[in-house]
Amino acid sequence: MLGSEADSRVLVDTKDFDIAELHGWLKANDGAHGALVTFTGMVRDLTDSAIERLYLEHYPGMTEKALHNIIAQARSRWSLGCVAVYHRVGALEAGDNIVFVGVSSAHRKEAFDAAQFLMDYLKRDAPFWKKEVSAEGENWVAQKESDMEAAERWD
């Protein structure tokens, strides 16, 4: 089953997401598959640094299109059921959720691989910009080489 756009849920928002609700959506909309893998990324504890908070920006419309494109690439590699990608933007504090990726598939290996692929490509290809905010000012964060290398392994 290749899945369709109806089997995909993409949202970029300032509001926090409900992990249980997203998991429930994946499960309720795809009873045909036996594996469901989710990943939640959170803001690390920033107490050991001068950073007080993070601020994420995006380009509305372009970002959602990029996320749907990444999902389409995953669907071309693996037989997936439902896929959910939710990404936060705006001001975020330590412990806040940033990103949720959920994937259903017939088998666990496909689901795990697809979830990892989605995160790797999201970190490389989705148009998000991260700014660190401290008492000394603000600093835009450059893309990490390790994120680039993680996505390259799928090429």
Side-chain angles (χ1 to χ4, degrees):
M1 175 178 173
L2 291 175
S4 68
E5 191 124 336
D7 297 329
S8 300
R9 188 169 174 186
V10 170
L11 186 60
V12 178
D13 203 342
T14 58
K15 297 175 189 159
D16 197 4
F17 47 87
D18 182 335
I19 296 167
E21 187 275 327
L22 290 166
H23 186 277
W25 178 84
L26 287 161
K27 190 172 180 181
N29 286 290
D30 193 7
H33 290 94
L36 194 155
V37 170
T38 66
F39 170 81
T40 304
M42 301 164 291
V43 178
R44 284 183 218 115
D45 184 359
L46 305 171
T47 56
D48 292 339
S49 72
I51 299 168
E52 297 172 355
R53 78 181 73 68
L54 298 177
Y55 186 82
L56 276 80
E57 284 191 10
H58 76 114
Y59 194 102
M62 178 188 285
T63 305
E64 292 84 355
K65 184 177 179 179
L67 295 174
H68 279 290
N69 183 47
I70 293 166
I71 291 170
Q73 291 177 64
R75 288 189 184 286
S76 74
R77 292 170 179 254
W78 297 281
S79 178
L80 304 177
C82 291
V83 178
V85 177
Y86 192 119
H87 205 294
R88 304 250 331 261
V89 292
L92 299 168
E93 308 287 332
D96 285 350
N97 294 321
I98 299 175
V99 63
F100 176 93
V101 169
V103 176
S104 66
S105 183
H107 305 286
R108 69 178 181 270
K109 181 168 180 10
E110 288 183 320
F112 275 111
D113 287 349
Q116 183 70 53
F117 173 90
L118 288 165
M119 275 308 304
D120 288 345
Y121 269 54
L122 185 153
K123 294 284 283 182
R124 185 187 74 180
D125 296 345
F128 291 102
W129 297 274
K130 182 168 54 173
K131 182 173 28 177
E132 296 174 337
V133 180
S134 69
E136 291 79 41
E138 301 175 345
N139 176 52
W140 289 103
V141 178
Q143 191 170 37
K144 294 179 184 175
E145 186 63 33
S146 60
D147 291 336
M148 300 295 284
E149 291 169 358
E152 286 174 7
R153 74 185 174 110
W154 299 103
D155 292 338

